[in-house]
Amino acid sequence: MKAKAKSDETRARILAAAMELFQRQGFEETTMREIAAAAGVATGAAYYYFDSKDAIVLAFYDQSQQEMEPLLDAALASARNLKGRVGALLEVKLQYFEPNRRLLGTLAAHADPEHRLSPFSAQTEEMRKRDMQFFERALTGSRIRVNSELGQHLPRILWMYQMGVILFWIFDRSAAQRRTRLLVEKSLGIIVRLIQISEFPLLRPVRRMVVDLVETVMSD
Amino acid sequence: MKAKAKSDETRARILAAAMELFQRQGFEETTMREIAAAAGVATGAAYYYFDSKDAIVLAFYDQSQQEMEPLLDAALASARNLKGRVGALLEVKLQYFEPNRRLLGTLAAHADPEHRLSPFSAQTEEMRKRDMQFFERALTGSRIRVNSELGQHLPRILWMYQMGVILFWIFDRSAAQRRTRLLVEKSLGIIVRLIQISEFPLLRPVRRMVVDLVETVMSD
DNA sequence: TCTAAAACTTGAACACGTTCAACTGAACAT
DNA sequence: ATGTTCAGTTGAACGTGTTCAAGTTTTAGA
């Protein structure tokens, strides 16, 4: 038991040292040798605990997801309508990641699902599933009812929307990322409105086309 | 004039050597030393002509855009309805980039507009503008008329849509990228339909929200 | 307590992208 | 012809992420 704890502690120390250096001087400007030295271990040790420099960022992301779960629970409890619920989820994430906003860009660079560090890869599937459940709860706990086949796809669609917002935010260079806040405010309104009117008879053809599209794209 | 021509020829030789190696053994697996050797110059020479390894890919992309222009002209001449016109533009691009599909992933890795190699950076603005004009022509040459304020934003929206399709295609691992073809077929139908019905009174509020959103996001 | 295996640690070594001071030779003015 | 300039060229050297053979420490079974 001693060893496990010590190993965990070393790993945590390396991760913490890396995050502080990344935050202070940026990802590219920080070397693995610096990280190891700051953590008080040899260069090779960092590679014993992390597959690569990028993998450290993924570990941070993973840790963040766990730490955010109670905050996301609270966010869902704070509002009843869909716009408020999804908006609260997004606000938690943006606030949590704020100190490391630039750092997430290194993850965004891996859109390739083949890449281990991609948010779309098989390795990150577990995280993805858990994350989508919050959007499922955002929907089921709201007053909106979607009876058509569109309903079952909405959690995934909202999750994808979230990924787009975060990507926009990472590269948003406006002061305090105000543009992202505007984007969220306005786009959420559109999405909720679209979901509401999606059951109108007039939009039935479009709705079916969208469902068809989503099912095609998601199929393996 | 002799000197200029010789310089151009050397640059072209390095670019060609790089592209052949990238195609045969992949981007990561090809070293700058190999490229220089294949082009019959010293390693440093490659850096005299190209700022970096990534910059070679951008040069290829730039060259591609120029070579594709007549093909895109022909594509616009091949159809009258919007779906056919935009679909033809996309088909030209996908076919042209087919041999180097994986390579484009290295460009997609730079979503950061701050990065010189990003398709959204200031350095690539000229290319972007020229490209958007094809979508403007796709619209004006079609039978669709959009009278609302939405009209002026449609070329940019279609261009962004194109970027999304190409990104999807780059990482599409289905055989012969069939899923991308399905995505295009189905999503184009949705887009055209949405544009058509966007002038309906019922959708006026949503239309205004979308325009407002686009204007907010595009503002500097 | 002893010992073999497993877990962990080390820092030199490797291959890579990139830089740079030094060199070459063609073009041109005098 | 000679000198001057400068675009073009060179390959060694630098700093980086990463690997690895060799060590050290810890665990666990006898």
Side-chain angles (χ1 to χ4, degrees), chain A residues 4-36:
Chain A
K4 183 75 185 308
K6 183 163 169 255
S7 172
D8 282 356
E9 198 266 332
T10 305
R11 190 190 144 94
R13 211 170 60 243
I14 294 171
L15 178 54
M19 291 311 300
E20 193 192 317
L21 287 169
F22 288 161
Q23 213 166 117
R24 204 170 47 223
Q25 56 193 35
F27 179 78
E28 307 279 5
E29 292 71 20
T30 302
T31 72
M32 288 298 273
R33 287 164 183 79
E34 280 181 282
I35 294 171

Side-chain angles (χ1 to χ4, degrees), chain A residues 102 105 108-114 167-168 171 173 179 182-184 186-187 189-190 193-194 197 200 202-203 205-206 209-213 216-220, chain B residues 102 105 108-114 167-168 171 173 179 182-184 186-187 189-190 193-194 197 200 202-203 205-206 209-213 216-220:
Chain A
R102 305 302 308 257
H110 301 111
D112 187 348
E114 206 118 1
L167 185 66
F168 186 88
F171 298 125
R173 288 191 312 298
R179 276 168 65 193
L182 288 171
L183 170 72
V184 169
K186 293 171 194 289
S187 60
I190 294 173
R193 179 65 77 98
L194 282 176
I197 66 177
F200 287 7
L202 179 74
L203 291 181
V206 173
M209 288 164 102
V210 169
V211 169
D212 183 24
L213 175 66
T216 301
V217 169
M218 295 299 171
S219 73
D220 292 324
Chain B
R102 304 303 308 256
H110 301 110
D112 187 348
E114 207 118 0
L167 185 66
F168 187 89
F171 298 125
R173 288 191 313 297
R179 278 169 64 192
L182 289 170
L183 170 72
V184 169
K186 293 170 194 291
S187 61
I190 294 173
R193 178 67 75 100
L194 282 176
I197 66 177
F200 287 7
L202 177 75
L203 291 181
V206 173
M209 288 163 101
V210 170
V211 168
D212 183 25
L213 175 67
T216 301
V217 169
M218 295 300 171
S219 73
D220 291 325

Side-chain angles (χ1 to χ4, degrees), chain A residues 97-165:
Chain A
F97 283 130
E98 175 61 38
N100 306 96
R101 189 175 63 91
R102 305 302 308 257
L103 187 58
L104 291 187
T106 65
L107 278 184
H110 301 111
D112 187 348
E114 206 118 1
H115 199 293
R116 287 199 322 279
L117 299 178
S118 164
F120 303 99
S121 76
Q123 278 86 347
T124 53
E125 188 178 9
E126 190 51 42
M127 278 164 53
R128 220 161 42 237
K129 271 186 181 166
R130 285 245 290 277
D131 203 22
M132 273 185 217
Q133 282 177 357
F134 283 101
F135 290 95
E136 199 171 334
R137 288 169 53 193
L139 279 160
T140 54
S142 76
R143 293 193 202 79
I144 284 186
R145 283 291 162 269
V146 178
N147 299 315
S148 70
E149 341 76 271
L150 182 64
Q152 68 189 98
H153 297 297
L154 279 181
R156 172 169 260 126
I157 290 173
L158 286 177
W159 183 83
M160 291 288 294
Y161 161 74
Q162 169 208 229
M163 295 302 278
V165 169

